[in-house]
DNA sequence: ATATAACTAGGGGTATTCCCCCAATAAAAT
DNA sequence: ATTTTATTGGGGGAATACCCCTAGTTATAT
């Protein structure tokens, strides 16, 4: 390896960043070019200087890791993301990987594995901790089950239906929805029954559950 | 300082321990004599070798920091405890301090402050991070004030209520729930209204949304 | 251009939820 | 031992949701 890997460390825990620094400074092929303690700082840094890889804490203040990941992937395509987190939480893992992170390791990862992860991701491959791999497997299993139980998707929900659905989830009654959207009570009822049919739900409880399970309002 | 301070590092996050190690190895008056990744190991270590100070993570697996703290204070009176945690949580702080920890710092503490904390505690004084001091003050101030501001606060939901709630989320009607649980329609209605009150919901939609948001059925 | 879907709205009726009141028994906490 | 909470159950009524039907207008896609 002729060139050094330029690493930007982003974590709000100073001591942790110090630790990473200490670990990486002994490596000839790796150079820590910056340290950030919140999301926006990462973006600011990358606007001024370049980095090959961001060691990115998923749980950052101000702007969380997922948001940062989105922006970096859009505006700084040459910069890779190695996500790092305290928690082996399925939601964190899957979400940040869906937004362009090339790797995900846990903070209980050892020194050697950290170095391996950085070099692997920098080479354009992906790297996951063993535990994380298991988590990903689990979530894949679950999503398969979920999509099976829903019996083939949810048909497209129209713009107006989505507005109604949003208000239903927010505990509005049909009357209140009608007033809010300046339409007739009967129209709202019509949308409601369309939603029940499309989502294959029996009642309001089903509408809300399926909405949350499938994140239909995001 | 003639003698070196013998430090035992106890944290389940390998990378963090590595970081501490890297920071402390440059200091002539401080020596890391051991590394533990769970509570019982700390006790085992102290039975065999001595340490002046344990850098103790509050959230340890197997046996948490408070338990470890109790035992160390009882059986190894010469060993000081410097508690360390990710979270500036009032409950953690007050509880471990009440069980004999001499200091409490956060993981976002910088290198210099860590070294200061270790030397201060080793000298028989106490050391708290600035943030922690504030937290202690706050807890003394409010102590009695109920936590209304906690938006996500949900009173305890009883076993039976949880059963009813589960079936509501699964789109059962009150009648069906009554049959399923072998109780009267009126009893189910009673549970329903208790749930509405406890969860501060207006209707079924709210029950389901709050249930999903807070993962009340896991 | 001509279906297809979306948005609108009504009539009429049943089912369900939500609300108030109440109260006995059992279990758990103080 | 006493209080509180949980679980059970009821009467009655108002509000809401759900279901059947139809149907005109307006986008949108083929």
């Amino acid at each position: 390896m002729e060139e050094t890997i330029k690493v930007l460390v982003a974590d709000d825990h100073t001591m942790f960043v110090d630790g990473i620094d200490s670990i990486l400074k002994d490596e000839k092929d790796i150079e820590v070019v910056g340290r950030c303690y919140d999301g926006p700082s990462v973006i600011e840094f990358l606007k001024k200087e370049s980095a090959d890889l961001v060691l990115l804490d998923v749980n950052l203040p101000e702007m969380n890791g997922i948001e940062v990941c989105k922006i970096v992937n859009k505006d700084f395509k040459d910069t890779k993301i190695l996500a790092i987190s305290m928690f082996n939480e399925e939601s964190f893992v899957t979400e940040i990987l869906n937004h362009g992170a090339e790797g995900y390791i846990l903070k209980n990862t050892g020194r050697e594995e950290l170095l391996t992860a950085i070099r692997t991701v920098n080479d354009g491959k992906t790297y996951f901790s063993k535990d994380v791999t298991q988590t990903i497997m689990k979530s894949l299993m679950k999503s398969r089950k979920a999509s099976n139980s829903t019996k083939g998707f949810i048909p497209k929900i129209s713009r107006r239906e989505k507005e109604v659905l949003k208000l239903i989830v927010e505990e509005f009654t049909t009357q209140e929805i009608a007033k809010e959207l300046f339409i007739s009570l009967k129209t709202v009822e019509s949308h409601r029954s369309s939603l029940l049919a499309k989502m294959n739900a029996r009642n309001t409880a089903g509408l809300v559950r399926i909405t949350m399970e499938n994140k239909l309002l995001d």
Side-chain angles (χ1 to χ4, degrees), chain A residues 24-67:
Chain A
L24 298 186
K25 75 171 177 222
D26 296 336
E27 303 303 311
K28 292 187 191 88
D29 60 328
I30 298 173
E31 183 195 356
V32 176
V33 292
R35 306 159 55 127
C36 296
Y37 304 101
D38 58 59
S41 307
V42 175
I43 309 302
E44 286 309 310
F45 182 92
L46 291 176
K47 279 183 188 167
K48 290 173 194 151
E49 304 179 46
S50 74
D52 297 312
L53 185 145
V54 181
L55 201 58
L56 178 68
D57 187 1
V58 178
N59 314 103
L60 278 181
E62 307 284 345
M63 185 195 295
N64 74 12
I66 285 116
E67 290 304 315

Side-chain angles (χ1 to χ4, degrees), chain A residues 143-158:
Chain A
S143 69
R144 214 177 287 159
K145 240 193 250 167
S147 59
N148 277 356
S149 65
T150 319
K151 286 174 205 161
F153 259 168
I154 289 145
K156 198 180 94 216
I157 291 167
S158 74

Side-chain angles (χ1 to χ4, degrees), chain A residues 16-137:
Chain A
F16 187 79
V17 178
D18 282 344
I20 300 273
D21 243 10
S22 292
I23 291 170
L24 298 186
K25 75 171 177 222
D26 296 336
E27 303 303 311
K28 292 187 191 88
D29 60 328
I30 298 173
E31 183 195 356
V32 176
V33 292
R35 306 159 55 127
C36 296
Y37 304 101
D38 58 59
S41 307
V42 175
I43 309 302
E44 286 309 310
F45 182 92
L46 291 176
K47 279 183 188 167
K48 290 173 194 151
E49 304 179 46
S50 74
D52 297 312
L53 185 145
V54 181
L55 201 58
L56 178 68
D57 187 1
V58 178
N59 314 103
L60 278 181
E62 307 284 345
M63 185 195 295
N64 74 12
I66 285 116
E67 290 304 315
V68 175
C69 204
K70 275 190 205 172
I71 296 171
V72 170
N73 244 269
K74 194 165 59 89
D75 299 343
F76 310 98
K77 292 188 197 301
D78 294 337
T79 303
K80 308 275 200 321
I81 301 273
L82 175 53
I84 184 162
S85 170
M86 279 282 283
F87 312 106
N88 190 6
E89 275 286 332
E90 179 198 315
S91 53
F92 290 163
V93 176
T94 53
E95 212 170 335
I96 202 160
L97 291 181
N98 282 332
H99 287 95
E102 279 83 8
Y104 193 111
I105 57 176
L106 302 176
K107 286 194 181 175
N108 65 0
T109 302
R111 170 203 181 86
E112 290 308 320
E113 192 174 349
L114 169 65
L115 297 173
T116 305
I118 290 176
R119 290 177 182 125
T120 305
V121 169
N122 187 62
D123 280 356
K125 301 174 215 158
T126 55
Y127 188 92
F128 309 118
S129 294
K130 202 183 286 175
D131 294 341
V132 173
T133 307
Q134 282 192 319
T135 301
I136 295 168
M137 292 309 223

